[in-house]
Amino acid sequence: MNRCPYSGHSSSQNFAVRRFIPLSVFLALVSLATLTLANEPQVAPDRLVGMLVDVQGKPLAGARLLRQSLKGGAWDATCETDAQGRFELRMGAGDPFHAGSMESVQVETTSGMHFETNFVIAEKLTEVRLPTIVNPGLAAPSNIDTDELAGRVVDEQGTPLEGVAVQTWGESSHKAMTSKDGTFRIQRLERNRTVAVRFFKAGYSPEMFVHQPTGKPGLVVALGKRTFLTGVVRDAEGDIVSHARLKAIQSDKHADQGMVPGMSTHTVTNETGEFHMFLQPDAYDFQIIAGERGIERLSQQAIHAGANKLDFTLRPGIAFRAVVVDAHSGEPIPDVRIRSSDQKEPVGRSNADGLVIIPNLLPGHLEVEVQAPGYARWWSEQCTNELSRRHFEIENPRWQRNFNYLHFNVVAAMPTAKIELERAVRVRGTVIDPEGNPVEGATVAPALSGSGGSISGDTRLTVRTGPEGRFELFLPASNQAQYNLMAHDGSYGEQRTWANGVLPPVSTKPGAELNDVQLQLTRPGTIRGKVVDENGKPIPLCNIEAHATDGLENRMFVPTTTASEDGTFELKCVRATTQKVRARWRAGEWFDEATPVEVAVVAGETADVQLTAIPLAERPVRAKVLGQSGTYIEFKMPKELERQLKKK
């Protein structure tokens, strides 16, 4: 880490004594001053000189800066601000700085808060303004648990803002609204981790931070009105367009827990075709839609801090055409709704011949959502994405997915696509407890038999039972594969009284019906233990999971817990069978999963285990990714990733 070499200067007496200085000396001083200004540090390919301030212009001393891409991926270019908030950020010639270009830094303040901010590099001293206020009298919540994110949101004058939406992303998303005093609190996050969080309120520029730590007190976020975009929308003839819908989409961000999709901000043009949109400094994709008046799309448009102006001229939209047919009979399917996933309108509906038309689309990538009651799979060989064509999983080559979005490339005069749909399997039944009583609020979920996996990779193909324990579930057919149903006592992330219950594997065909299915929850056992490192030292805050070795439980609904500060843990509601217990990760560190322990669980009894967790960064590992050819590529962990893991 390189500290900044700047120091303060005082010149308050200069004008008071000027008339006593001889002319020759004065001219020499003027020349020296001119030379000093000329030698003011300028941006160079390997150097960025700047000053870090809050929204009120107050310098932030002792803050650590880390250069990162606009998508959030960080490089090892760091420095620390001096007492005047000045810094000098140096970088190798392979990734140079340029005056006028947009850059992004991650900032950690002396109080432990993390902010990301984007800015345009000036030719000399660049001002980097953080969306916060340096004011010891501006208190923020201090009694924060390690799994909480809390703080206060104010305007640029420090006045609390009520009704600010605070949204997080991670293993699961959470949302809160600020109260009258501007405070918010989000609980049940991952302990001592960082989360991506966005602050939004109409009439203010939104702010998003990708690496905000949980469990830290003192977070103050200031929303302002300095950064905005104005302009006028006209059609191809030059006439103004009122009520045109504008969407500004930020680039995707790399967070610690995965990719955060591009956040969007919306507005509508007024009667004179003008718009005013508050934005966060960033690179945006703009989409403008005005029905039959036309459309437009502009990519990677930089919005810098302050006032920005950009006019749009619309062009005719493109119509997407597709024929929807039954995958097995080839017959056309009417009344199938298809729409663009990033546009609420228009929506196409197939006619009696299966033809569906979505007019006035933007050119380029189109992500299509299919809504077809009674059908559970859909694909098209004209899709640009391999997973949108008829696709089988590599790990389970008998299992066909094809129940996600379809991806097309929209171009002028594109041919009509063919979308094939496969009928769903309908399952109806009841969930009961070990004593035969119906269970309300239980979750029924399919599992890919033998693997312990979710057939969709998430919780979407699950249902909750009603007052009499009844459920109705629509699933893709297993076809060549096998799956089974399981019952979980509670919702996702909830454990109530009973352990999971499972059914034997079945094979199903499209359009099949399974009626009077009965799923029985089971009497639970308990697993207690401790997680330590290779030297026997306790490791706190690990995520502990138990996976049945028979592979009949959906991994989204297995018993989980978090180890305490001394490394001890207790897993409840465990099904009575052989279970594989493992420590997945702890706060800020991933663990090698080669150390699970198998234990036989008996209903009503407690089994004891000890886990040894090895940090992943301590050894080179091989990871597998899906290549373009559909084959696996193996590679060792990059040194850069190892360094980042060790830092955490």
Side-chain angles (χ1 to χ4, degrees):
M1 179 182 297
N2 50 306
R3 295 182 179 272
C4 302
Y6 297 102
S7 59
H9 301 279
S10 176
S11 57
S12 58
Q13 303 295 321
N14 287 354
F15 291 101
V17 299
R18 181 184 300 170
R19 61 193 178 96
F20 301 106
I21 300 176
L23 180 61
S24 60
V25 176
F26 176 71
L27 292 176
L29 290 174
V30 171
S31 299
L32 179 61
T34 303
L35 179 62
T36 301
L37 290 174
N39 291 333
E40 179 77 17
Q42 298 187 25
V43 64
D46 65 340
R47 181 183 63 195
L48 171 63
V49 179
M51 176 175 288
L52 184 69
V53 299
D54 69 2
V55 296
Q56 297 179 341
K58 299 175 184 175
L60 281 84
R64 180 174 176 266
L65 278 74
L66 172 66
R67 186 193 188 190
Q68 63 180 28
S69 73
L70 293 178
K71 290 189 176 182
W75 292 275
D76 281 332
T78 64
C79 72
E80 189 173 296
T81 59
D82 66 5
Q84 286 76 42
R86 293 201 173 196
F87 64 87
E88 184 175 300
L89 191 62
R90 291 188 176 272
M91 189 67 192
D95 194 13
F97 297 107
H98 296 289
S101 66
M102 180 170 283
E103 282 289 340
S104 180
V105 290
Q106 181 185 149
V107 179
E108 180 180 2
T109 67
T110 53
S111 62
M113 293 300 99
H114 287 238
F115 300 93
E116 286 85 33
T117 185
N118 304 322
F119 55 91
V120 175
I121 297 178
E123 290 188 359
K124 293 184 179 180
L125 191 68
T126 298
E127 182 182 86
V128 178
R129 189 175 292 258
L130 282 192
T132 189
I133 292 180
V134 179
N135 184 352
L138 192 60
S142 57
N143 56 331
I144 302 175
D145 200 358
T146 54
D147 67 346
E148 290 183 321
L149 178 67
R152 185 186 297 273
V153 184
V154 299
D155 64 15
E156 291 186 329
Q157 288 71 47
T159 305
L161 288 177
E162 182 181 6
V164 177
V166 185
Q167 176 82 52
T168 67
W169 284 263
E171 291 286 328
S172 57
S173 297
H174 298 74
K175 188 174 183 179
M177 302 292 287
T178 57
S179 58
K180 186 172 293 186
D181 63 357
T183 60
F184 71 92
R185 186 180 297 269
I186 299 177
Q187 299 174 318
R188 297 182 65 183
L189 297 170
E190 293 156 12
R191 294 176 178 271
N192 294 321
R193 295 294 302 275
T194 67
V195 296
V197 57
R198 186 177 191 244
F199 299 84
F200 177 83
K201 180 179 175 66
Y204 293 85
S205 299
E207 296 291 346
M208 182 172 184
F209 314 126
V210 185
H211 303 283
Q212 191 62 233
T214 60
K216 297 282 188 179
L219 175 61
V220 175
V221 177
L223 298 186
K225 301 183 178 184
R226 296 171 182 260
T227 301
F228 56 85
L229 175 67
T230 59
V232 177
V233 176
R234 293 182 173 87
D235 62 18
E237 285 72 39
D239 297 327
I240 62 171
V241 180
S242 60
H243 307 295
R245 291 184 287 120
L246 282 79
K247 178 191 289 189
I249 308 171
Q250 292 177 256
S251 56
D252 296 347
K253 308 295 183 184
H254 291 282
D256 286 349
Q257 301 170 40
M259 185 70 73
V260 179
M263 296 294 101
S264 60
T265 304
H266 305 256
T267 193
V268 178
T269 58
N270 61 18
E271 296 297 332
T272 60
E274 298 172 306
F275 64 89
H276 189 289
M277 179 183 289
F278 288 102
L279 297 172
Q280 178 180 9
D282 203 346
Y284 287 83
D285 289 345
F286 287 98
Q287 297 180 2
I288 305 93
I289 303 173
E292 296 180 355
R293 300 290 298 276
I295 51 87
E296 184 56 289
R297 167 181 277 167
L298 292 179
S299 299
Q300 292 300 298
Q301 297 292 312
I303 299 298
H304 58 78
N308 299 260
K309 191 174 190 309
L310 184 61
D311 295 334
F312 296 97
T313 300
L314 304 182
R315 48 181 165 164
I318 300 174
F320 171 80
R321 291 177 170 84
V323 174
V324 183
V325 300
D326 186 285
H328 295 275
S329 69
E331 294 295 320
I333 307 174
D335 296 325
V336 175
R337 289 166 56 90
I338 296 180
R339 71 176 181 90
S340 169
S341 64
D342 62 356
Q343 299 178 22
K344 293 183 178 180
E345 298 292 342
V347 175
R349 186 188 296 271
S350 60
N351 61 19
D353 297 322
L355 178 64
V356 57
I357 301 175
I358 307 179
N360 303 317
L361 290 178
L362 295 160
H365 177 253
L366 171 66
E367 188 179 67
V368 165
E369 179 183 351
V370 178
Q371 299 174 348
Y375 291 85
R377 280 195 182 98
W378 38 81
W379 63 90
S380 174
E381 297 306 316
Q382 286 77 48
C383 283
T384 57
N385 186 314
E386 180 181 349
L387 300 181
S388 299
R389 300 190 286 270
R390 194 164 188 253
H391 177 76
F392 293 83
E393 289 188 343
I394 300 297
E395 299 90 340
N396 301 284
R398 292 179 175 271
W399 176 247
Q400 181 186 353
R401 290 184 60 84
N402 295 123
F403 32 76
N404 296 313
Y405 293 124
L406 301 181
H407 298 261
F408 296 92
N409 183 34
V410 176
V411 295
M414 63 184 301
T416 301
K418 178 183 177 182
I419 300 177
E420 300 178 71
L421 273 64
E422 184 182 82
R423 289 190 176 276
V425 174
R426 185 171 70 173
V427 185
R428 290 181 290 187
T430 308
V431 174
I432 60 175
D433 65 18
E435 297 167 354
N437 302 309
V439 179
E440 181 181 0
T443 297
V444 178
L448 200 55
S449 302
S451 70
S454 162
I455 66 174
S456 62
D458 49 35
T459 62
R460 82 185 98 161
L461 298 178
T462 63
V463 293
R464 301 286 300 279
T465 56
E468 298 180 352
R470 297 185 182 278
F471 69 89
E472 183 176 46
L473 183 63
F474 291 90
L475 299 175
S478 68
N479 291 324
Q480 301 177 35
Q482 284 190 321
Y483 51 52
N484 64 277
L485 294 182
M486 63 160 285
H488 173 76
D489 190 13
S491 62
Y492 173 72
E494 179 185 22
Q495 297 177 145
R496 297 195 298 193
T497 304
W498 306 113
N500 293 337
V502 299
L503 290 179
V506 295
S507 297
T508 59
K509 296 298 181 183
E513 292 193 10
L514 304 178
N515 297 310
D516 301 322
V517 174
Q518 189 175 80
L519 273 161
Q520 187 169 35
L521 298 169
T522 59
R523 298 187 186 279
T526 302
I527 301 176
R528 290 177 183 163
K530 190 174 187 178
V531 57
V532 298
D533 63 17
E534 291 177 297
N535 299 316
K537 181 181 178 181
I539 299 179
L541 306 178
C542 285
N543 271 11
I544 312 298
E545 297 178 349
H547 295 261
T549 57
D550 58 17
L552 298 180
E553 295 184 40
N554 183 323
R555 64 178 178 83
M556 308 300 293
F557 298 94
V558 299
T560 62
T561 190
T562 301
S564 61
E565 293 291 342
D566 63 358
T568 59
F569 63 85
E570 182 177 83
L571 285 167
K572 299 180 179 180
C573 301
V574 185
R575 183 163 64 95
T577 187
T578 302
Q579 298 278 349
K580 183 180 290 186
V581 186
R582 66 179 186 180
R584 287 190 56 215
W585 47 262
R586 72 164 181 168
E589 190 168 5
W590 289 89
F591 287 108
D592 191 337
E593 295 185 3
T595 56
V597 174
E598 289 191 7
V599 58
V601 177
V602 178
E605 298 184 8
T606 299
D608 296 313
V609 299
Q610 179 166 300
L611 299 178
T612 302
I614 303 173
L616 192 64
E618 291 184 1
R619 62 174 68 178
V621 298
R622 291 188 179 273
K624 293 183 176 181
V625 296
L626 183 64
Q628 292 293 330
S629 62
T631 60
Y632 278 124
I633 302 170
E634 289 194 346
F635 61 94
K636 287 189 176 181
M637 178 184 290
K639 293 295 184 182
E640 173 62 24
L641 178 56
E642 287 190 43
R643 287 197 295 269
Q644 290 188 24
L645 286 171
K646 287 179 179 179
K647 284 181 181 178
K648 292 180 180 180

